Amino acid sequence: MQRLSYTEVMNAEPAPRRLDVKASALHGAQLEGSEPLSNYERLAADLRDSPADLMLKWSAKFSARTGATGGADPWLQLQVSTRFPLVCQRCMGALELPVAIEREFRFVASDAIAEKEDDSCEEDLLVQTREFDLAGLIEDELVMALPLIPRHDTCPHEVPMSAVDADFEASNVKPNPFAKLSSLVKGKDKN
């Protein structure tokens, strides 16, 4: 498990995969980092050839806030920014989409509590653990930020609105079967 120095912002490159949520919140841990987008395999699979130098920046601030029961609930404020290299589905050209995510999460003790409180609360809920996967959360948030149909607001060049291929049209012209029959009948009349 990664040990944190809680007195200042910790530079953690890449994002930790195992954090103690309660300890991080009680000490007000602040982590930040910058790492290649290619570190996130599920995300990289959905992107156009991701350049190795394409980076994402993230910061995570843990805190403890007084909850409804009077106890201290752990919270996480997450910020992530990057650019997605995609293919525009309208013009099929390269599209680089800037992404900025800013979310807050409240941690609860169990899945049952999260399920019970999910509909009645405004914030997003996560289950508290001693081995919290911050990198996994960052990747989940980025995957959810991917557009279903990536496209430019205005494509950089004219987009053809019809697909007509003269060679295709010419190859689909078939002779009339009755024209062949007609030529046979005319041939008999000459005899």
Side-chain angles (χ1 to χ4, degrees):
M1 185 176 319
Q2 185 166 351
R3 297 282 179 207
L4 300 176
S5 166
Y6 297 108
T7 56
E8 59 187 55
V9 174
M10 181 179 166
N11 190 356
E13 296 179 36
R17 295 236 171 239
R18 296 173 62 190
L19 284 171
D20 183 331
V21 170
K22 186 175 182 178
S24 297
L26 290 174
H27 291 97
Q30 297 183 35
L31 300 99
E32 59 185 33
S34 178
E35 59 186 298
L37 200 55
S38 59
N39 283 2
Y40 296 88
E41 292 176 17
R42 286 186 298 133
L43 180 64
D46 289 331
L47 301 177
R48 178 181 51 83
D49 298 329
S50 180
D53 63 340
L54 194 57
M55 303 293 282
L56 73 87
K57 294 182 180 187
W58 59 269
S59 71
K61 296 176 184 172
F62 289 88
S63 62
R65 300 180 193 170
T66 304
T69 61
D73 291 338
W75 282 73
L76 166 63
Q77 180 183 6
L78 178 67
Q79 294 178 325
V80 182
S81 64
T82 190
R83 297 181 330 266
F84 288 153
L86 300 166
V87 175
C88 174
Q89 297 302 301
R90 185 179 296 139
C91 71
M92 302 310 287
L95 165 66
E96 202 162 274
L97 182 69
V99 176
I101 298 168
E102 190 167 330
R103 305 269 311 266
E104 283 195 331
F105 301 92
R106 178 171 57 96
F107 289 90
V108 294
S110 68
D111 285 322
I113 294 172
E115 190 174 313
K116 180 181 173 186
E117 293 183 14
D118 189 40
D119 290 335
S120 64
C121 66
E122 302 268 331
E123 66 274 6
D124 292 311
L125 302 176
L126 295 173
V127 177
Q128 182 176 316
T129 178
R130 295 188 70 164
E131 295 186 359
F132 176 65
D133 183 0
L134 181 60
L137 177 63
I138 290 171
E139 186 169 31
D140 289 346
E141 292 299 314
L142 289 170
V143 167
M144 288 189 295
L146 278 169
L148 292 175
I149 302 172
R151 62 179 177 243
H152 295 103
D153 290 333
T154 304
C155 290
H157 54 279
E158 185 84 21
V159 178
M161 297 311 270
S162 65
V164 177
D165 183 356
D167 293 334
F168 178 77
E169 292 294 325
S171 69
N172 279 338
V173 175
K174 296 181 181 176
N176 185 340
F178 295 109
K180 179 98 170 160
L181 183 59
S182 174
S183 67
L184 290 175
V185 170
K186 287 181 185 177
K188 282 188 174 183
D189 287 341
K190 291 182 184 178
N191 291 335

